[in-house]
Amino acid sequence: MSTLTRFVLQRSTRLALPILTFPGAAFTGATVRELVTNPAAQVAAQVALRERFATPALLSCMDLSVEAEAFGCAISVGDEEVPTVLGRLVTDEAGAAALAVPAIGTGRTGVYLETVRQLAALPGQTPVLAGMIGPFSLAARIYGVSEALGLSLDSPELTHRLLAKTTQFLSAYAHAFKTAGATGVIMAEPTAGLLSPRALAEFSSAYVKQIVAAVDDDAFTLVLHNCAAKLVHLPAVLTAGARMFHFGAPMNLPAALAQAPADVILCGNLDPAGVFVRSNPAAVQEAVRGLLAATQAHRNFVLSSGCDVPPKTPLANLEAFFQAMKKD
């Protein structure tokens, strides 16, 4: 049992751990651009969220453009929107062969490593979770999302060639987070949820399993996030070998908990847009109570958002989420 899984399974009360980073800017006055480029801004936002809501962990931002940018992809960064990848870096076999695996610290990977170092240095024993992308989702940002989905059918050999490079980089990146003091990493693999279960096992879980083997131990936990996976994907997702999984709204969590081993932790899955952003405090509390009731028999469940909570989420809805947990 790792530090993080022990933190979850041996608690006397149920745990709420939303992927909550960008809304911290509301307390500090930072822009999204500042959060994703300045470690001090990320740390200040996390400290503010911990002080306001007594969050049980400190997180670096879920920014799925960072690793693709390090490989050479163009990105769009704004003051109010989470960064996105523009266009395609690799479009054919020659480009895949020429693709260089970047050094750790390239581009804004250094921002996130420094953020984790500063979070880990804060007083107290609060778990620190870094954020990073998964191997298939990174390959899809390099090659193009729709193109990568087609490539997995038309040219599995080229897909595997790309995945070998993304996995090499991500293994080193996860290890760097571990060295920086992180308790674990939340690895986001959303694009894999658009694959068939068989293809997910081949092109995602098999490579995530390599990263788990490289870094996951008693002191460090890889949490595999897939916000597009459904119940039909669950057996394939579980073959990745992680000890914690984080799912989005499409997953039937009560059914998934009934199928998963009791020592494997499942987290999720209140819809970030539908519940946290477009809802109201009363509806948020109702959603929290409903999911807690549906999962009450399972100690291996952590209540969370189904993905990262958007920057402009109403603070009243966040208050309602944590208040509902206190009443559980």
Side-chain angles (χ1 to χ4, degrees):
M1 190 178 294
S2 69
T3 300
L4 185 59
T5 56
R6 186 180 304 111
F7 176 74
V8 174
L9 294 174
Q10 295 184 355
R11 287 176 62 90
S12 58
T13 58
R14 303 183 79 181
L15 181 65
L17 182 56
I19 302 180
L20 184 60
T21 58
F22 289 108
F27 300 110
T28 65
T31 63
V32 171
R33 185 192 302 274
E34 288 168 336
L35 290 181
V36 302
T37 57
N38 183 348
Q42 277 198 54
V43 171
Q46 278 297 291
V47 170
L49 288 167
R50 182 175 63 175
E51 291 176 348
R52 179 69 172 266
F53 301 118
T55 50
L58 297 165
L59 284 65
S60 68
C61 291
M62 182 181 281
D63 175 356
L64 305 188
S65 70
V66 173
E67 299 88 349
E69 183 186 27
F71 269 90
C73 291
I75 68 165
S76 172
V77 182
D79 286 338
E80 297 184 352
E81 300 294 332
V82 178
T84 56
V85 175
L86 301 174
R88 302 170 64 196
L89 180 65
V90 172
T91 59
D92 54 25
E93 189 166 349
L99 184 67
V101 178
I104 300 304
T106 299
R108 289 182 301 118
T109 62
V111 170
Y112 286 86
L113 289 169
E114 179 58 25
T115 297
V116 166
R117 276 190 285 268
Q118 292 185 24
L119 290 173
L122 293 174
Q125 299 297 315
T126 308
V128 174
L129 298 176
M132 62 185 291
I133 201 170
F136 185 78
S137 297
L138 176 54
R141 278 154 179 77
I142 292 170
Y143 196 77
V145 172
S146 61
E147 292 84 359
L149 294 171
L151 191 71
S152 67
L153 296 172
D154 300 334
S155 182
E157 299 85 0
L158 180 53
T159 307
H160 285 299
R161 191 170 303 133
L162 285 169
L163 286 167
K165 293 187 177 185
T166 60
T167 301
Q168 178 185 338
F169 174 77
L170 294 175
S171 294
Y173 194 30
H175 188 270
F177 278 128
K178 184 177 181 178
T179 301
T183 312
V185 63
I186 301 175
M187 173 177 282
E189 186 70 315
T191 315
L194 303 177
L195 295 166
S196 69
R198 180 204 61 79
L200 186 150
E202 178 179 355
F203 297 114
S204 175
S205 291
Y207 289 92
V208 174
K209 189 172 184 177
Q210 294 178 31
I211 302 171
V212 170
V215 299
D216 195 288
D217 57 22
D218 289 346
F220 189 87
T221 304
L222 188 150
V223 182
L224 179 58
H225 165 74
N226 190 323
C227 57
K230 300 177 181 179
L231 190 61
V232 68
H233 293 104
L234 182 66
V237 173
L238 291 176
T239 63
R243 289 179 283 188
M244 288 185 68
F245 295 86
H246 190 283
F247 293 111
M251 179 60 69
N252 182 334
L253 266 177
L257 286 161
Q259 295 183 23
D263 61 346
V264 172
I265 297 166
L266 304 188
C267 314
N269 68 338
L270 298 179
D271 183 53
V275 174
F276 284 91
V277 177
R278 295 196 296 267
S279 191
N280 58 59
V284 170
Q285 293 204 345
E286 182 180 354
V288 169
R289 289 192 294 265
L291 188 52
L292 288 175
T295 57
Q296 62 183 350
H298 301 279
R299 294 283 302 171
N300 58 328
F301 171 69
V302 174
L303 181 70
S304 184
S305 52
C307 196
D308 61 321
V309 179
K312 295 299 183 181
T313 297
L315 294 181
N317 286 349
L318 295 177
E319 292 277 9
F321 173 86
F322 287 103
Q323 284 297 323
M325 279 304 301
K326 291 178 181 178
K327 297 175 183 177
D328 179 56

